[in-house]
Amino acid sequence: MKKILLLFLLCCLGAYANTPSENIVSHLSSLNEKQRNTLYEFEVLKRNGCKTDQFWQENKNQFSELDAKTRDELAQQIFENSSVVYKPQKNSAVQIWMQTQLLTNWMFYLSAFIAICAVIALFKKYWSLLIGFLLKRLEPVLRYLFSPLLLTCELLIVGIACVFYAVSIEDFVVRTVIIHLGLFLLWSQSTALFTKEYWVKKYIFEIESNFWGKEPWETIKTICLPAVLVTLALWSVLYKVPADIFYNYEIVISGIASIYALPFWRNLEKYIYPILFPFKNEGYRARSINSLGACTVIAIVLTVVLILQWNTAFYNVIAAFISLEIFSFLILSSKVNCKYNLRNYYYLQFIAVLFLVLVFLYSYEMHSNELIWFSLIGSCLFVILKYLEIFAFFSSWKRGNSWAWKLLGLAALLWVLGKGILYFSKLLFVI
């Protein structure tokens, strides 16, 4: 019985120790909203390792005779237990800290991208030398282990392991680099296995030749199957690391590649691309442009289908589709692709402008800052390209003595575009 009473007493004492004192409760009830926000901001800075002395000196006049211990306990209780809708004030310490976090996040994104490019470049540059060294110096022991076929299988397993295990890495840069290295190995080594060509230059040649080839199975195993594997890998990464939203763009690219690599699209292209090139061409136009036109039409149809679902789960995928379509229209609307029939050129300008306007209206209706920026940047690039093409109708940009005037006109155009964006932003948004 004594043991039970002792245990009960200890539980009561523990519960009492975890509750705030009556003094703290009374202080909390007497604080106004501004004081609560100040203490909340103080605790945020303290928990993120920032110096709080200067911040407290600037704001302690809001509190009358509040000692450091009571202040710390009040801030802790507000941070942990209060439901505070907090909005940092302009030029406040927390706002500066949040902006610093945003800046460093973008620096991490940039460093990850540069590291990815560097690793792939080094992989391409030194891989042949490494294989040659291993086969030449360690031939007696490793002839079988590092044969082209077995080495390709080993690298494929390494790529799968990189994708599978890298999602658990907390550091963003390291995680991104390892995942993309795994994706590259997954694509390249699966292509090597399917084509039975184990050197980069050889299976890239197979990709280029089989895309327009007449053997459907060769096209599927050379282009479609590796793209499907990469798409599945990206889907698993996106499922496990949804915070890295840029994988939505990559999965759209690989998904489009896996779908459009199916051979029957080569036969359907002649019925699809005339939607963007309706007037018969009197001269030669690259078949790749026709393929890009057909692929753009398919992408637009898929985008419309996703939009009509009205599901927020597809938001990032829709944004990825739209960004690729804007880029495609910038290429397709170029005068070089319609130099033998200007009616197609004028028609594409109308379609491109209509598409950009619809994207902007959709992004404004959905309150999507990301899509608004895509439409604004795409529109500015479109206007600049059309400005440069105006002179192509009459003379070369570099020829003659008027290039300085053309350059001055380009500067004026950029200034007008900047002023226009600022003007319309004031009309559309509350600043």
Side-chain angles (χ1 to χ4, degrees), residues 27-155:
H27 272 294
L28 284 173
S29 61
S30 64
L31 295 177
N32 57 38
E33 191 66 27
K34 184 177 180 181
Q35 291 173 328
R36 286 174 178 268
N37 285 339
T38 301
L39 289 174
Y40 185 89
E41 187 173 356
F42 175 85
E43 186 68 14
V44 170
L45 293 173
K46 182 179 177 181
R47 290 184 178 233
N48 285 278
C50 301
K51 294 183 178 179
T52 57
D53 295 336
Q54 183 178 357
F55 174 81
W56 182 248
Q57 291 298 325
E58 294 174 357
N59 295 278
K60 70 177 183 179
N61 56 353
Q62 300 180 24
F63 307 88
S64 59
E65 299 179 359
L66 190 65
D67 59 88
K69 182 179 179 181
T70 305
R71 176 203 63 194
D72 293 342
E73 190 172 356
L74 280 172
Q76 180 181 358
Q77 290 297 327
I78 290 175
F79 184 88
E80 294 179 351
N81 301 317
S82 299
S83 178
V84 178
V85 179
Y86 178 72
K87 181 179 180 182
Q89 299 179 359
K90 186 176 181 181
N91 297 327
S92 66
V94 168
Q95 185 189 47
I96 295 174
W97 175 77
M98 292 171 65
Q99 292 174 347
T100 304
Q101 289 291 103
L102 179 62
L103 175 62
T104 53
N105 285 340
W106 279 107
M107 293 175 67
F108 291 152
Y109 292 152
L110 182 60
S111 65
F113 176 76
I114 295 173
I116 292 165
C117 296
V119 169
I120 293 177
L122 291 173
F123 185 87
K124 181 179 179 181
K125 182 176 181 180
Y126 295 108
W127 185 246
S128 298
L129 296 176
L130 177 61
I131 297 300
F133 173 80
L134 292 174
L135 293 178
K136 183 177 179 180
R137 302 293 182 184
L138 306 176
E139 184 177 4
V141 180
L142 305 175
R143 178 188 293 272
Y144 176 74
L145 182 61
F146 286 96
S147 65
L149 175 60
L150 191 57
L151 181 59
T152 299
C153 296
E154 293 166 353
L155 288 175

Side-chain angles (χ1 to χ4, degrees), residues 17 37 51 83 89 92 101 115 130 137 143 161 175 178 201 206 220 235 243 261 309 338 343 387 418:
N37 285 339
K51 294 183 178 179
S83 178
Q89 299 179 359
S92 66
Q101 289 291 103
L130 177 61
R137 302 293 182 184
R143 178 188 293 272
R175 180 177 71 240
I178 294 179
K201 292 183 179 180
E206 291 291 328
I220 290 175
W235 180 82
Q309 303 301 312
C338 307
R343 289 184 297 175
Y387 171 81

Side-chain angles (χ1 to χ4, degrees), residues 371-388:
L371 287 180
I372 288 176
W373 276 109
F374 284 162
S375 61
L376 289 177
I377 294 174
S379 300
C380 291
L381 290 175
F382 180 80
V383 172
I384 292 172
L385 291 175
K386 297 309 113 178
Y387 171 81
L388 298 177

Side-chain angles (χ1 to χ4, degrees), residues 130-250:
L130 177 61
I131 297 300
F133 173 80
L134 292 174
L135 293 178
K136 183 177 179 180
R137 302 293 182 184
L138 306 176
E139 184 177 4
V141 180
L142 305 175
R143 178 188 293 272
Y144 176 74
L145 182 61
F146 286 96
S147 65
L149 175 60
L150 191 57
L151 181 59
T152 299
C153 296
E154 293 166 353
L155 288 175
L156 182 61
I157 295 173
V158 171
I160 295 173
C162 287
V163 174
F164 184 78
Y165 290 107
V167 294
S168 60
I169 298 176
E170 294 184 0
D171 186 82
F172 169 79
V173 176
V174 177
R175 180 177 71 240
T176 305
V177 171
I178 294 179
I179 288 176
H180 282 83
L181 178 61
L183 293 173
F184 175 75
L185 288 173
L186 189 61
W187 169 77
S188 60
Q189 303 313 304
S190 62
T191 304
L193 285 176
F194 291 136
T195 58
K196 297 181 180 180
E197 295 288 350
Y198 306 109
W199 305 102
V200 176
K201 292 183 179 180
K202 290 186 179 181
Y203 60 70
I204 287 180
F205 174 78
E206 291 291 328
I207 293 173
E208 294 175 351
S209 60
N210 287 330
F211 186 75
W212 308 112
K214 296 181 180 180
E215 295 293 334
W217 172 241
E218 291 296 325
T219 306
I220 290 175
K221 74 177 185 179
T222 304
I223 304 171
C224 185
L225 292 181
V228 169
L229 291 177
V230 173
T231 303
L232 294 175
L234 281 168
W235 180 82
S236 65
V237 170
L238 193 58
Y239 178 77
K240 294 180 180 179
V241 195
D244 295 347
I245 59 174
F246 57 88
Y247 287 114
N248 289 279
Y249 296 85
E250 298 181 11

